[in-house]
Amino acid sequence: MQHGLPAQFVYVAGVLEAFGGALLVLGLFTRPAALLLAIEMGVAIWKFHSTGGIMAVHLYEFPLALCAACAALATVGAGLVSVDESLLSSGRRKSRVPKKAKE
């Protein structure tokens, strides 16, 4: 409990990063996984990487980039080449190409 968090959170963070990263690579449950990873990175920056103050950017620049990327994925969602997209579009065969207007 060096930083005020229980020791079990280390295991929770490890499982979240391993399985959450795998889910992001596959594109499966992208939004929830990315949201959980963004929250986890925010807590990591707040509790561990901000020991040098706000001006010590070299201590938290990589976790901040990961947090921003996960927040963007949580907002936008998975792309066209993902398991999420294939699962969502299997029930509804909706074309992404707009129909031409009748002249």
CSV table of all heavy atoms in Angstrom, one decimal, residues 2-63:
chain,number,residue,atom,x,y,z
A,2,GLN,N,1.8,1.3,-0.9
A,2,GLN,CA,2.7,2.4,-0.9
A,2,GLN,C,2.0,3.7,-1.4
A,2,GLN,O,2.3,4.8,-0.9
A,2,GLN,CB,3.9,2.1,-1.8
A,2,GLN,CG,4.9,3.2,-1.9
A,2,GLN,CD,6.0,2.8,-2.8
A,2,GLN,OE1,6.0,1.8,-3.5
A,2,GLN,NE2,7.0,3.7,-2.9
A,3,HIS,N,1.1,3.5,-2.4
A,3,HIS,CA,0.4,4.7,-3.0
A,3,HIS,C,-1.0,4.8,-2.5
A,3,HIS,O,-1.8,5.6,-3.1
A,3,HIS,CB,0.5,4.6,-4.5
A,3,HIS,CG,1.9,4.8,-5.0
A,3,HIS,ND1,2.5,6.0,-5.1
A,3,HIS,CD2,2.8,3.8,-5.4
A,3,HIS,CE1,3.7,5.8,-5.6
A,3,HIS,NE2,3.9,4.5,-5.8
A,4,GLY,N,-1.4,4.1,-1.5
A,4,GLY,CA,-2.8,4.2,-1.0
A,4,GLY,C,-3.8,3.3,-1.6
A,4,GLY,O,-5.0,3.4,-1.4
A,5,LEU,N,-3.3,2.4,-2.4
A,5,LEU,CA,-4.2,1.4,-3.0
A,5,LEU,C,-3.9,0.0,-2.5
A,5,LEU,O,-2.8,-0.3,-2.2
A,5,LEU,CB,-4.1,1.4,-4.6
A,5,LEU,CG,-4.4,2.6,-5.3
A,5,LEU,CD1,-4.1,2.5,-6.8
A,5,LEU,CD2,-5.9,2.9,-5.2
A,6,PRO,N,-5.0,-0.8,-2.4
A,6,PRO,CA,-4.7,-2.2,-1.9
A,6,PRO,C,-3.9,-3.0,-2.9
A,6,PRO,O,-3.9,-2.7,-4.1
A,6,PRO,CB,-6.1,-2.8,-1.8
A,6,PRO,CG,-7.0,-1.7,-1.8
A,6,PRO,CD,-6.4,-0.5,-2.5
A,7,ALA,N,-3.1,-4.0,-2.4
A,7,ALA,CA,-2.2,-4.7,-3.2
A,7,ALA,C,-3.0,-5.6,-4.3
A,7,ALA,O,-2.4,-5.9,-5.3
A,7,ALA,CB,-1.4,-5.7,-2.4
A,8,GLN,N,-4.2,-5.9,-4.1
A,8,GLN,CA,-5.0,-6.7,-5.0
A,8,GLN,C,-5.2,-5.9,-6.3
A,8,GLN,O,-5.5,-6.6,-7.4
A,8,GLN,CB,-6.4,-7.1,-4.4
A,8,GLN,CG,-6.3,-8.1,-3.3
A,8,GLN,CD,-6.0,-7.4,-1.9
A,8,GLN,OE1,-6.0,-6.2,-1.9
A,8,GLN,NE2,-5.7,-8.2,-0.9
A,9,PHE,N,-5.1,-4.6,-6.3
A,9,PHE,CA,-5.3,-3.8,-7.5
A,9,PHE,C,-4.2,-4.1,-8.5
A,9,PHE,O,-4.4,-3.9,-9.7
A,9,PHE,CB,-5.4,-2.4,-7.2
A,9,PHE,CG,-6.8,-1.9,-6.7
A,9,PHE,CD1,-7.0,-0.6,-6.2
A,9,PHE,CD2,-7.8,-2.8,-6.6
A,9,PHE,CE1,-8.2,-0.3,-5.8
A,9,PHE,CE2,-9.1,-2.4,-6.1
A,9,PHE,CZ,-9.3,-1.2,-5.7
A,10,VAL,N,-3.1,-4.6,-8.1
A,10,VAL,CA,-2.0,-4.9,-9.1
A,10,VAL,C,-2.5,-6.1,-9.9
A,10,VAL,O,-2.3,-6.1,-11.2
A,10,VAL,CB,-0.7,-5.3,-8.3
A,10,VAL,CG1,0.3,-5.8,-9.3
A,10,VAL,CG2,-0.2,-4.1,-7.5
A,11,TYR,N,-3.1,-7.1,-9.3
A,11,TYR,CA,-3.6,-8.2,-10.1
A,11,TYR,C,-4.8,-7.8,-11.0
A,11,TYR,O,-4.9,-8.2,-12.1
A,11,TYR,CB,-4.1,-9.3,-9.1
A,11,TYR,CG,-3.0,-9.8,-8.3
A,11,TYR,CD1,-3.0,-9.6,-6.9
A,11,TYR,CD2,-1.9,-10.5,-8.8
A,11,TYR,CE1,-2.0,-10.0,-6.1
A,11,TYR,CE2,-0.8,-10.9,-8.0
A,11,TYR,CZ,-0.9,-10.7,-6.7
A,11,TYR,OH,0.2,-11.1,-5.9
A,12,VAL,N,-5.7,-6.9,-10.5
A,12,VAL,CA,-6.8,-6.4,-11.3
A,12,VAL,C,-6.3,-5.7,-12.5
A,12,VAL,O,-6.8,-5.9,-13.6
A,12,VAL,CB,-7.7,-5.6,-10.4
A,12,VAL,CG1,-8.8,-4.9,-11.3
A,12,VAL,CG2,-8.4,-6.4,-9.4
A,13,ALA,N,-5.3,-4.8,-12.3
A,13,ALA,CA,-4.7,-4.1,-13.4
A,13,ALA,C,-4.0,-5.0,-14.4
A,13,ALA,O,-4.1,-4.8,-15.6
A,13,ALA,CB,-3.7,-3.0,-12.9
A,14,GLY,N,-3.3,-6.0,-13.9
A,14,GLY,CA,-2.7,-6.9,-14.8
A,14,GLY,C,-3.6,-7.7,-15.7
A,14,GLY,O,-3.4,-7.8,-16.9
A,15,VAL,N,-4.7,-8.2,-15.1
A,15,VAL,CA,-5.7,-8.9,-15.9
A,15,VAL,C,-6.4,-8.0,-16.8
A,15,VAL,O,-6.7,-8.3,-18.0
A,15,VAL,CB,-6.7,-9.6,-14.9
A,15,VAL,CG1,-8.0,-10.1,-15.6
A,15,VAL,CG2,-6.1,-10.7,-14.1
A,16,LEU,N,-6.7,-6.8,-16.4
A,16,LEU,CA,-7.4,-5.8,-17.2
A,16,LEU,C,-6.5,-5.4,-18.4
A,16,LEU,O,-7.0,-5.3,-19.6
A,16,LEU,CB,-7.8,-4.5,-16.4
A,16,LEU,CG,-8.5,-3.4,-17.2
A,16,LEU,CD1,-9.8,-3.9,-17.7
A,16,LEU,CD2,-8.7,-2.2,-16.3
A,17,GLU,N,-5.3,-5.2,-18.2
A,17,GLU,CA,-4.4,-4.8,-19.3
A,17,GLU,C,-4.2,-6.0,-20.3
A,17,GLU,O,-4.1,-5.8,-21.5
A,17,GLU,CB,-3.1,-4.3,-18.8
A,17,GLU,CG,-3.2,-3.0,-18.1
A,17,GLU,CD,-1.9,-2.4,-17.6
A,17,GLU,OE1,-0.8,-3.1,-17.8
A,17,GLU,OE2,-1.9,-1.4,-16.8
A,18,ALA,N,-4.0,-7.2,-19.8
A,18,ALA,CA,-3.8,-8.4,-20.6
A,18,ALA,C,-5.0,-8.7,-21.5
A,18,ALA,O,-5.0,-8.7,-22.7
A,18,ALA,CB,-3.4,-9.6,-19.8
A,19,PHE,N,-6.2,-8.9,-20.8
A,19,PHE,CA,-7.4,-9.2,-21.5
A,19,PHE,C,-8.0,-8.0,-22.3
A,19,PHE,O,-8.6,-8.2,-23.4
A,19,PHE,CB,-8.4,-9.9,-20.6
A,19,PHE,CG,-8.0,-11.3,-20.2
A,19,PHE,CD1,-7.6,-11.5,-18.9
A,19,PHE,CD2,-7.9,-12.3,-21.1
A,19,PHE,CE1,-7.2,-12.7,-18.5
A,19,PHE,CE2,-7.5,-13.6,-20.7
A,19,PHE,CZ,-7.1,-13.8,-19.4
A,20,GLY,N,-7.9,-6.8,-21.7
A,20,GLY,CA,-8.4,-5.7,-22.4
A,20,GLY,C,-7.6,-5.4,-23.6
A,20,GLY,O,-8.2,-5.0,-24.7
A,21,GLY,N,-6.3,-5.5,-23.6
A,21,GLY,CA,-5.5,-5.3,-24.8
A,21,GLY,C,-5.8,-6.3,-25.8
A,21,GLY,O,-5.9,-6.0,-27.0
A,22,ALA,N,-6.0,-7.6,-25.4
A,22,ALA,CA,-6.4,-8.6,-26.4
A,22,ALA,C,-7.8,-8.3,-27.0
A,22,ALA,O,-7.9,-8.5,-28.2
A,22,ALA,CB,-6.4,-10.0,-25.7
A,23,LEU,N,-8.7,-7.9,-26.2
A,23,LEU,CA,-10.0,-7.5,-26.8
A,23,LEU,C,-9.9,-6.3,-27.8
A,23,LEU,O,-10.6,-6.3,-28.8
A,23,LEU,CB,-11.0,-7.2,-25.7
A,23,LEU,CG,-11.5,-8.3,-24.8
A,23,LEU,CD1,-12.3,-7.8,-23.7
A,23,LEU,CD2,-12.3,-9.3,-25.7
A,24,LEU,N,-9.1,-5.4,-27.5
A,24,LEU,CA,-8.9,-4.2,-28.4
A,24,LEU,C,-8.2,-4.7,-29.7
A,24,LEU,O,-8.6,-4.2,-30.8
A,24,LEU,CB,-8.0,-3.1,-27.7
A,24,LEU,CG,-8.7,-2.3,-26.6
A,24,LEU,CD1,-7.8,-1.2,-26.2
A,24,LEU,CD2,-10.0,-1.8,-27.1
A,25,VAL,N,-7.3,-5.6,-29.6
A,25,VAL,CA,-6.6,-6.1,-30.8
A,25,VAL,C,-7.6,-6.8,-31.7
A,25,VAL,O,-7.7,-6.7,-32.9
A,25,VAL,CB,-5.4,-7.0,-30.5
A,25,VAL,CG1,-4.9,-7.8,-31.7
A,25,VAL,CG2,-4.3,-6.2,-29.9
A,26,LEU,N,-8.5,-7.6,-31.1
A,26,LEU,CA,-9.5,-8.4,-31.8
A,26,LEU,C,-10.6,-7.5,-32.3
A,26,LEU,O,-11.3,-7.8,-33.3
A,26,LEU,CB,-10.1,-9.5,-31.0
A,26,LEU,CG,-9.2,-10.7,-30.7
A,26,LEU,CD1,-9.9,-11.6,-29.7
A,26,LEU,CD2,-8.8,-11.4,-31.9
A,27,GLY,N,-10.9,-6.4,-31.6
A,27,GLY,CA,-12.0,-5.6,-31.9
A,27,GLY,C,-13.3,-6.1,-31.4
A,27,GLY,O,-14.4,-5.9,-31.9
A,28,LEU,N,-13.2,-6.8,-30.2
A,28,LEU,CA,-14.4,-7.4,-29.6
A,28,LEU,C,-14.7,-6.7,-28.3
A,28,LEU,O,-13.8,-6.5,-27.5
A,28,LEU,CB,-14.1,-8.9,-29.3
A,28,LEU,CG,-15.2,-9.7,-28.7
A,28,LEU,CD1,-16.4,-9.8,-29.6
A,28,LEU,CD2,-14.7,-11.1,-28.4
A,29,PHE,N,-15.9,-6.2,-28.1
A,29,PHE,CA,-16.3,-5.4,-26.9
A,29,PHE,C,-15.4,-4.2,-26.8
A,29,PHE,O,-14.8,-3.9,-25.7
A,29,PHE,CB,-16.3,-6.2,-25.6
A,29,PHE,CG,-17.2,-7.4,-25.7
A,29,PHE,CD1,-16.6,-8.7,-25.6
A,29,PHE,CD2,-18.5,-7.3,-25.9
A,29,PHE,CE1,-17.4,-9.8,-25.6
A,29,PHE,CE2,-19.3,-8.4,-25.9
A,29,PHE,CZ,-18.8,-9.7,-25.8
A,30,THR,N,-15.1,-3.5,-27.9
A,30,THR,CA,-14.2,-2.5,-27.9
A,30,THR,C,-14.5,-1.3,-27.0
A,30,THR,O,-13.6,-0.8,-26.3
A,30,THR,CB,-14.0,-1.9,-29.4
A,30,THR,OG1,-13.7,-3.0,-30.2
A,30,THR,CG2,-13.0,-0.9,-29.5
A,31,ARG,N,-15.7,-0.8,-27.0
A,31,ARG,CA,-16.0,0.3,-26.2
A,31,ARG,C,-15.9,0.1,-24.7
A,31,ARG,O,-15.3,0.9,-24.0
A,31,ARG,CB,-17.4,0.8,-26.6
A,31,ARG,CG,-17.4,1.5,-27.9
A,31,ARG,CD,-18.8,2.0,-28.3
A,31,ARG,NE,-18.8,2.5,-29.7
A,31,ARG,CZ,-19.3,3.7,-30.0
A,31,ARG,NH1,-19.9,4.4,-29.1
A,31,ARG,NH2,-19.3,4.1,-31.3
A,32,PRO,N,-16.5,-1.0,-24.2
A,32,PRO,CA,-16.3,-1.2,-22.7
A,32,PRO,C,-14.9,-1.5,-22.3
A,32,PRO,O,-14.4,-1.0,-21.3
A,32,PRO,CB,-17.2,-2.4,-22.4
A,32,PRO,CG,-18.0,-2.7,-23.6
A,32,PRO,CD,-17.4,-2.0,-24.8
A,33,ALA,N,-14.2,-2.3,-23.2
A,33,ALA,CA,-12.8,-2.6,-22.8
A,33,ALA,C,-11.9,-1.3,-22.9
A,33,ALA,O,-11.1,-1.0,-22.0
A,33,ALA,CB,-12.2,-3.6,-23.8
A,34,ALA,N,-12.1,-0.4,-23.9
A,34,ALA,CA,-11.4,0.8,-24.0
A,34,ALA,C,-11.7,1.8,-22.8
A,34,ALA,O,-10.8,2.5,-22.3
A,34,ALA,CB,-11.6,1.5,-25.3
A,35,LEU,N,-13.0,1.8,-22.4
A,35,LEU,CA,-13.4,2.7,-21.3
A,35,LEU,C,-12.7,2.2,-20.0
A,35,LEU,O,-12.2,3.0,-19.3
A,35,LEU,CB,-14.9,2.7,-21.2
A,35,LEU,CG,-15.5,3.5,-20.0
A,35,LEU,CD1,-15.1,5.0,-20.3
A,35,LEU,CD2,-16.9,3.3,-19.9
A,36,LEU,N,-12.7,0.9,-19.8
A,36,LEU,CA,-12.1,0.4,-18.6
A,36,LEU,C,-10.6,0.7,-18.6
A,36,LEU,O,-10.0,1.0,-17.6
A,36,LEU,CB,-12.3,-1.1,-18.4
A,36,LEU,CG,-13.7,-1.5,-18.0
A,36,LEU,CD1,-13.9,-3.0,-18.0
A,36,LEU,CD2,-14.0,-1.0,-16.6
A,37,LEU,N,-9.9,0.5,-19.7
A,37,LEU,CA,-8.5,0.8,-19.8
A,37,LEU,C,-8.2,2.3,-19.7
A,37,LEU,O,-7.2,2.6,-19.1
A,37,LEU,CB,-8.0,0.2,-21.2
A,37,LEU,CG,-7.8,-1.3,-21.2
A,37,LEU,CD1,-7.5,-1.7,-22.6
A,37,LEU,CD2,-6.7,-1.8,-20.3
A,38,ALA,N,-9.1,3.1,-20.2
A,38,ALA,CA,-8.8,4.6,-20.1
A,38,ALA,C,-8.9,5.0,-18.6
A,38,ALA,O,-8.1,5.8,-18.1
A,38,ALA,CB,-9.8,5.3,-20.9
A,39,ILE,N,-9.9,4.4,-17.9
A,39,ILE,CA,-10.0,4.7,-16.4
A,39,ILE,C,-8.8,4.2,-15.7
A,39,ILE,O,-8.3,4.9,-14.8
A,39,ILE,CB,-11.4,4.1,-15.9
A,39,ILE,CG1,-12.6,4.8,-16.5
A,39,ILE,CG2,-11.4,4.1,-14.4
A,39,ILE,CD1,-13.9,4.1,-16.2
A,40,GLU,N,-8.4,3.0,-16.0
A,40,GLU,CA,-7.2,2.4,-15.4
A,40,GLU,C,-6.0,3.2,-15.6
A,40,GLU,O,-5.2,3.5,-14.7
A,40,GLU,CB,-7.0,1.0,-15.9
A,40,GLU,CG,-6.0,0.2,-15.0
A,40,GLU,CD,-4.8,-0.1,-15.8
A,40,GLU,OE1,-4.8,0.0,-17.0
A,40,GLU,OE2,-3.8,-0.4,-15.1
A,41,MET,N,-5.8,3.7,-16.8
A,41,MET,CA,-4.6,4.6,-17.1
A,41,MET,C,-4.7,5.9,-16.4
A,41,MET,O,-3.7,6.4,-16.0
A,41,MET,CB,-4.5,4.8,-18.6
A,41,MET,CG,-3.9,3.6,-19.4
A,41,MET,SD,-2.1,3.4,-19.0
A,41,MET,CE,-2.2,1.9,-18.1
A,42,GLY,N,-5.9,6.4,-16.3
A,42,GLY,CA,-6.1,7.7,-15.6
A,42,GLY,C,-5.7,7.5,-14.1
A,42,GLY,O,-5.1,8.4,-13.5
A,43,VAL,N,-6.1,6.4,-13.5
A,43,VAL,CA,-5.8,6.1,-12.1
A,43,VAL,C,-4.3,5.9,-12.0
A,43,VAL,O,-3.6,6.4,-11.0
A,43,VAL,CB,-6.6,4.9,-11.6
A,43,VAL,CG1,-6.0,4.5,-10.2
A,43,VAL,CG2,-8.0,5.3,-11.4
A,44,ALA,N,-3.7,5.2,-12.9
A,44,ALA,CA,-2.2,5.0,-12.9
A,44,ALA,C,-1.5,6.3,-13.0
A,44,ALA,O,-0.5,6.5,-12.3
A,44,ALA,CB,-1.8,4.1,-14.0
A,45,ILE,N,-1.9,7.2,-13.9
A,45,ILE,CA,-1.3,8.5,-14.0
A,45,ILE,C,-1.4,9.3,-12.7
A,45,ILE,O,-0.5,9.9,-12.1
A,45,ILE,CB,-1.9,9.3,-15.1
A,45,ILE,CG1,-1.5,8.7,-16.5
A,45,ILE,CG2,-1.4,10.8,-15.1
A,45,ILE,CD1,-2.2,9.3,-17.6
A,46,TRP,N,-2.6,9.3,-12.1
A,46,TRP,CA,-2.9,10.0,-10.9
A,46,TRP,C,-2.1,9.5,-9.7
A,46,TRP,O,-1.6,10.3,-8.9
A,46,TRP,CB,-4.4,10.0,-10.6
A,46,TRP,CG,-4.9,10.5,-9.3
A,46,TRP,CD1,-4.5,11.7,-8.8
A,46,TRP,CD2,-5.8,9.9,-8.4
A,46,TRP,NE1,-5.2,11.9,-7.6
A,46,TRP,CE2,-5.9,10.8,-7.3
A,46,TRP,CE3,-6.5,8.7,-8.4
A,46,TRP,CZ2,-6.8,10.5,-6.3
A,46,TRP,CZ3,-7.3,8.5,-7.3
A,46,TRP,CH2,-7.4,9.3,-6.3
A,47,LYS,N,-2.1,8.2,-9.5
A,47,LYS,CA,-1.4,7.6,-8.3
A,47,LYS,C,0.1,7.3,-8.5
A,47,LYS,O,0.8,7.4,-7.5
A,47,LYS,CB,-2.1,6.3,-8.0
A,47,LYS,CG,-3.5,6.5,-7.4
A,47,LYS,CD,-3.4,7.2,-6.1
A,47,LYS,CE,-4.4,6.8,-5.1
A,47,LYS,NZ,-4.3,7.5,-3.8
A,48,PHE,N,0.5,7.0,-9.6
A,48,PHE,CA,1.9,6.5,-9.8
A,48,PHE,C,2.8,7.4,-10.6
A,48,PHE,O,4.0,7.6,-10.2
A,48,PHE,CB,1.9,5.1,-10.4
A,48,PHE,CG,1.2,4.1,-9.6
A,48,PHE,CD1,0.0,3.6,-10.0
A,48,PHE,CD2,1.6,3.7,-8.3
A,48,PHE,CE1,-0.8,2.7,-9.3
A,48,PHE,CE2,0.9,2.8,-7.6
A,48,PHE,CZ,-0.3,2.3,-8.1
A,49,HIS,N,2.3,7.9,-11.7
A,49,HIS,CA,3.2,8.6,-12.6
A,49,HIS,C,3.3,10.1,-12.4
A,49,HIS,O,4.0,10.8,-13.0
A,49,HIS,CB,2.8,8.4,-14.1
A,49,HIS,CG,2.8,6.9,-14.5
A,49,HIS,ND1,4.0,6.3,-14.7
A,49,HIS,CD2,1.9,6.0,-14.6
A,49,HIS,CE1,3.8,5.0,-15.0
A,49,HIS,NE2,2.5,4.8,-15.0
A,50,SER,N,2.5,10.7,-11.5
A,50,SER,CA,2.5,12.1,-11.2
A,50,SER,C,3.3,12.5,-10.0
A,50,SER,O,3.1,13.5,-9.4
A,50,SER,CB,1.0,12.6,-11.1
A,50,SER,OG,0.5,12.0,-9.9
A,51,THR,N,4.3,11.7,-9.6
A,51,THR,CA,5.1,11.9,-8.4
A,51,THR,C,6.0,13.1,-8.7
A,51,THR,O,6.4,13.8,-7.7
A,51,THR,CB,5.9,10.7,-8.1
A,51,THR,OG1,6.7,10.3,-9.2
A,51,THR,CG2,5.0,9.6,-7.6
A,52,GLY,N,6.4,13.4,-9.9
A,52,GLY,CA,7.3,14.5,-10.2
A,52,GLY,C,6.6,15.8,-10.4
A,52,GLY,O,7.2,16.8,-10.8
A,53,GLY,N,5.3,15.8,-10.3
A,53,GLY,CA,4.5,17.0,-10.6
A,53,GLY,C,4.1,17.1,-12.0
A,53,GLY,O,4.4,16.3,-12.9
A,54,ILE,N,3.3,18.1,-12.4
A,54,ILE,CA,2.8,18.3,-13.7
A,54,ILE,C,3.8,18.6,-14.8
A,54,ILE,O,3.7,18.4,-15.9
A,54,ILE,CB,1.6,19.3,-13.7
A,54,ILE,CG1,0.8,19.1,-15.0
A,54,ILE,CG2,2.1,20.7,-13.6
A,54,ILE,CD1,-0.5,19.8,-14.9
A,55,MET,N,4.9,19.2,-14.3
A,55,MET,CA,5.9,19.6,-15.3
A,55,MET,C,6.9,18.5,-15.7
A,55,MET,O,7.6,18.6,-16.6
A,55,MET,CB,6.8,20.8,-14.7
A,55,MET,CG,5.9,22.0,-14.5
A,55,MET,SD,5.1,22.6,-16.0
A,55,MET,CE,6.5,23.1,-17.0
A,56,ALA,N,6.8,17.3,-15.0
A,56,ALA,CA,7.6,16.2,-15.3
A,56,ALA,C,6.9,15.3,-16.3
A,56,ALA,O,6.5,14.2,-16.0
A,56,ALA,CB,8.0,15.4,-14.0
A,57,VAL,N,6.7,15.8,-17.5
A,57,VAL,CA,5.9,15.2,-18.5
A,57,VAL,C,6.5,13.8,-18.9
A,57,VAL,O,5.8,12.9,-19.3
A,57,VAL,CB,5.8,16.1,-19.8
A,57,VAL,CG1,5.0,15.4,-20.9
A,57,VAL,CG2,5.2,17.4,-19.4
A,58,HIS,N,7.9,13.7,-18.9
A,58,HIS,CA,8.5,12.4,-19.3
A,58,HIS,C,8.1,11.3,-18.4
A,58,HIS,O,8.2,10.1,-18.8
A,58,HIS,CB,10.0,12.6,-19.2
A,58,HIS,CG,10.6,12.8,-17.9
A,58,HIS,ND1,10.5,14.1,-17.2
A,58,HIS,CD2,11.2,12.0,-17.0
A,58,HIS,CE1,11.1,13.9,-16.0
A,58,HIS,NE2,11.5,12.7,-15.9
A,59,LEU,N,7.5,11.5,-17.2
A,59,LEU,CA,7.1,10.5,-16.3
A,59,LEU,C,5.7,9.9,-16.7
A,59,LEU,O,5.4,8.7,-16.4
A,59,LEU,CB,7.0,11.0,-14.9
A,59,LEU,CG,8.3,11.3,-14.2
A,59,LEU,CD1,8.1,11.9,-12.8
A,59,LEU,CD2,9.2,10.1,-14.2
A,60,TYR,N,4.9,10.7,-17.4
A,60,TYR,CA,3.5,10.3,-17.6
A,60,TYR,C,3.1,10.4,-19.1
A,60,TYR,O,1.9,10.3,-19.4
A,60,TYR,CB,2.5,11.0,-16.7
A,60,TYR,CG,2.4,12.5,-16.9
A,60,TYR,CD1,1.6,13.0,-17.8
A,60,TYR,CD2,3.2,13.3,-16.1
A,60,TYR,CE1,1.5,14.4,-18.0
A,60,TYR,CE2,3.1,14.7,-16.2
A,60,TYR,CZ,2.2,15.2,-17.2
A,60,TYR,OH,2.2,16.6,-17.3
A,61,GLU,N,4.0,10.7,-20.0
A,61,GLU,CA,3.6,10.9,-21.4
A,61,GLU,C,3.1,9.7,-22.1
A,61,GLU,O,2.1,9.8,-22.8
A,61,GLU,CB,4.7,11.6,-22.2
A,61,GLU,CG,5.9,10.7,-22.4
A,61,GLU,CD,7.0,11.4,-23.1
A,61,GLU,OE1,6.8,12.4,-23.8
A,61,GLU,OE2,8.2,11.0,-23.0
A,62,PHE,N,3.7,8.5,-21.8
A,62,PHE,CA,3.2,7.3,-22.5
A,62,PHE,C,1.9,6.9,-21.9
A,62,PHE,O,0.9,6.5,-22.7
A,62,PHE,CB,4.2,6.2,-22.4
A,62,PHE,CG,3.9,5.0,-23.1
A,62,PHE,CD1,3.7,5.0,-24.5
A,62,PHE,CD2,3.6,3.8,-22.5
A,62,PHE,CE1,3.3,3.8,-25.2
A,62,PHE,CE2,3.2,2.6,-23.1
A,62,PHE,CZ,3.1,2.7,-24.5
A,63,PRO,N,1.7,6.8,-20.6
A,63,PRO,CA,0.4,6.5,-20.0
A,63,PRO,C,-0.7,7.5,-20.5
A,63,PRO,O,-1.9,7.1,-20.7
A,63,PRO,CB,0.5,6.5,-18.5
A,63,PRO,CG,2.0,6.3,-18.3
A,63,PRO,CD,2.7,6.9,-19.5
